[in-house]
Amino acid sequence: MFEVVPRQHLTEHSATVDLAEVQAPQQASDYGSEEWLTFHDHVRYTVESESEQFNASGE
């Protein structure tokens, strides 16, 4: 996250960033689309399965 600092508060330990040049993060597919749901469901089930296996192992 970038913080916009008024110029009078800049020090040698500060940096300025042109927010117009910073690209917003992009997702590979549109939120809520069939492709997005398929991918995120798969990831969620994988993580839940691994968590169950870890917890069942008693570690």
Side-chain angles (χ1 to χ4, degrees):
M1 184 69 62
F2 293 104
E3 179 182 352
V4 178
V5 179
R7 192 166 285 288
Q8 66 268 25
H9 296 293
L10 296 178
T11 69
E12 63 185 64
H13 301 290
S14 298
T16 57
V17 176
D18 184 352
L19 297 179
E21 292 182 11
V22 177
Q23 290 184 334
Q26 300 280 326
Q27 293 192 55
S29 55
D30 292 333
Y31 175 79
S33 68
E34 188 65 35
E35 181 182 16
W36 185 92
L37 288 169
T38 299
F39 174 79
H40 286 279
D41 282 347
H42 171 74
V43 172
R44 187 182 76 229
Y45 295 143
T46 300
V47 169
E48 289 176 355
S49 174
E50 289 177 359
S51 178
E52 280 183 29
Q53 291 175 31
F54 179 79
N55 290 332
S57 71
E59 293 183 26

